[in-house]
Each structure stands twice: as structure tokens, then as C-alpha cells.
Amino acid sequence: MKMRKTTLVLGLSLFLSSCQSMESGSWFSTGAEAFEVYTLSDYQLQTQSGQACREIDSRATIAPENSDYARRMQKIALMLGHNINGQPVDYNVYMSKEINAFAMENGCIRVYSGLMDLMNDNEMEAIIGHEIGHVALGHVKESRQVASGTNTMRAVASSVGGLAGSVSQSPLGDMGERLINSQFSQRQELDADEYSYDLLRKRGLSPSGLVTSFEKLAKLEAGQQSSMFDNHPVSSERAARIKARMAADSIKE
């Protein structure tokens, strides 16, 4: 999810994205390259994702280990765990005012300080749980395959810009940008919500962070007139959906 100036972008990660075609000639632009993505093993995909993550990290300002952001991220990571289906997870915070977070196939999870400024710890647990869900459920891999096969990428903003744009000139940077800006379907977004809910309950954490984070996003969305919202679940509706599940679970218990 990303916010640049007055343009609201609630994306990859978090929850909303808009459509933008990427320029032709980038790394996965040919049919042969797209086919290669479909035939790569999970190990190869994770290796490529790791390389792309390191490339993006090299261009970012990472929160120092002794900073409040890093300490807070360590606390959240401890609560959520350090593996996704057996894949080790690497957490880091980017010092950026953008409201964004993303996860890659290799377990690379990156959170922007702007998002941490907006959300409390439980809300961050819910959001990161959602990102973990996209990886655990195979959405990130599927999204990259679709983007490669169609030679387009649905990005999280009407213009790329930001950190992702700064690394797009290199092959690894281009792949990283595509991974960060992946679009997920409504069904995938809702499934990632459910994954986060279940993960939070499994880890002994309150799922209410999903509700309050969606409510905060809903306030940011208010008044926005953009096609970016046309094909994605509305945050207020998703908050209501989680509330209903919490109420149902409370009755069962």
C-alpha cells in the first residue's frame, strides 16, 4: 500500500491497487521469458526473489537496528513467527513516508515507516499477516506469472515513482518492482484477510487489528474518485466482514 502526496494508493500489499501497463522491453517481456517463469521451480523463484529483494534493499534506507522502528518490527515479527510454510522470513523496515508493505516468495517482508506511523502494533500484525497470506497461498507467484504472461503489470499507482521506480532500470530491480506492485484479485485479497485472521488467532493475537486497520484505510479512501477502487474490495466492507466473523466465533466459543 502506498500514499504519494495526495494520491491514495492502498496496494500490494495492503489492499488496493490500480492499473498501469509497464513499458515493453523489460525483463519478462517476451513470450519465451513468460513461459520460463511458469516453468521455474519454487526454489528458482525464491532465489530470484531473494536477489530482487537485495537489489531493492540496496537502494532503500533501512531502519537502523537500534531505531524504534526496527525494535518495533522485531517485536511484531516475534509475535507472528519467522517462517511461511517452512520458508524462513526476513523482516525489515524501509524509512519512507509511503504507506506500504510487501512480501516476496523467498520470505522477504518489507514494511515502510509511513505505514508503521499510521498503525498500532496489532494493526501491523494484521497487515503483515495479510502479506504473509499472499505468499503462503501462492498469490505472489500467481500474480508474477500472470503479469509475465500478459506483458503487463497492474501497478499500485497511476505512476510508479517511489522506491520501486528507482530500481526499475536493472533486471533484478524490474522484477522487484513487479513483485512489489503485483495486483491481487478480490478473491485473493479476501482469502489473505482470512489467512491473517486465522494466523492471528493461532498466535494468540487479537484479530481486531484487521478491523481497525481497514477502518483507518476506509477514512483515507473517503472521497477518492478513481478507477483504482473499481475491482477491489472496499475497506469498510472488509472491516464489516471481519467483525461478522469475530461475532460468529464469539458465539461458538
Side-chain angles (χ1 to χ4, degrees):
M1 175 181 62
K2 180 186 299 181
M3 178 182 288
R4 293 190 69 214
K5 297 181 180 179
T6 59
T7 302
L8 177 65
V9 182
L10 308 175
L12 166 92
S13 356
L14 273 186
F15 317 130
L16 295 174
S17 54
S18 63
C19 177
Q20 173 184 308
S21 296
M22 305 301 287
E23 294 181 2
S24 60
S26 57
W27 200 20
F28 292 138
S29 61
T30 68
E33 289 166 330
F35 176 76
E36 181 182 0
V37 174
Y38 276 96
T39 58
L40 287 175
S41 68
D42 288 344
Y43 174 78
Q44 289 171 311
L45 289 171
Q46 289 172 358
T47 299
Q48 287 187 355
S49 296
Q51 293 170 337
C53 188
R54 288 191 293 273
E55 173 76 10
I56 297 171
D57 281 353
S58 71
R59 309 295 182 93
T61 300
I62 296 177
E65 290 184 6
N66 62 349
S67 68
D68 290 341
Y69 289 107
R71 291 195 184 101
R72 190 176 165 204
M73 187 73 258
Q74 290 170 3
K75 177 184 175 183
I76 293 169
L78 182 64
M79 299 305 295
L80 291 175
H82 288 82
N83 78 84
I84 304 174
N85 295 343
Q87 172 68 38
V89 176
D90 173 38
Y91 296 91
N92 252 322
V93 179
Y94 289 162
M95 297 305 298
S96 169
K97 293 182 180 179
E98 294 175 5
I99 300 175
N100 202 5
F102 66 86
M104 292 187 181
E105 292 148 303
N106 68 313
C108 169
I109 293 179
R110 298 295 181 262
V111 175
Y112 293 60
S113 59
L115 178 63
M116 298 186 77
D117 290 338
L118 181 65
M119 303 291 177
N120 64 35
D121 284 359
N122 186 224
E123 291 162 349
M124 287 304 308
E125 291 162 352
I127 289 168
I128 295 173
H130 176 99
E131 295 305 320
I132 290 173
H134 279 311
V135 176
L137 298 173
H139 300 163
V140 174
K141 179 180 178 180
E142 292 168 6
S143 182
R144 177 142 72 101
Q145 289 173 334
V146 169
S148 301
T150 60
N151 192 31
T152 63
M153 171 51 61
R154 297 181 66 85
V156 296
S158 58
S159 60
V160 176
L163 179 63
S166 71
V167 299
S168 62
Q169 299 304 310
S170 70
L172 287 173
D174 180 69
M175 186 182 80
E177 177 187 329
R178 289 169 181 267
L179 290 171
I180 294 174
N181 293 335
S182 298
Q183 177 208 354
F184 302 112
S185 69
Q186 288 196 30
R187 182 69 263 165
Q188 287 174 327
E189 293 289 356
L190 295 177
D191 285 347
D193 292 349
E194 295 295 331
Y195 183 97
S196 180
Y197 184 99
D198 291 336
L199 177 63
L200 294 172
R201 292 292 298 267
K202 180 180 179 180
R203 302 291 295 187
L205 302 170
S206 172
S208 63
L210 275 169
V211 175
T212 54
S213 62
F214 282 134
E215 289 174 341
K216 287 182 179 180
L217 296 178
K219 290 181 180 179
L220 294 178
E221 294 167 21
Q224 295 292 322
Q225 299 295 323
S226 171
S227 61
M228 75 174 67
F229 303 121
D230 290 348
N231 297 313
H232 296 271
V234 177
S235 293
S236 58
E237 295 176 358
R238 295 166 83 173
R241 190 168 180 268
I242 296 300
K243 280 183 179 179
R245 182 174 176 187
M246 289 177 65
D249 286 349
S250 177
I251 293 173
K252 293 177 183 177
E253 294 171 355

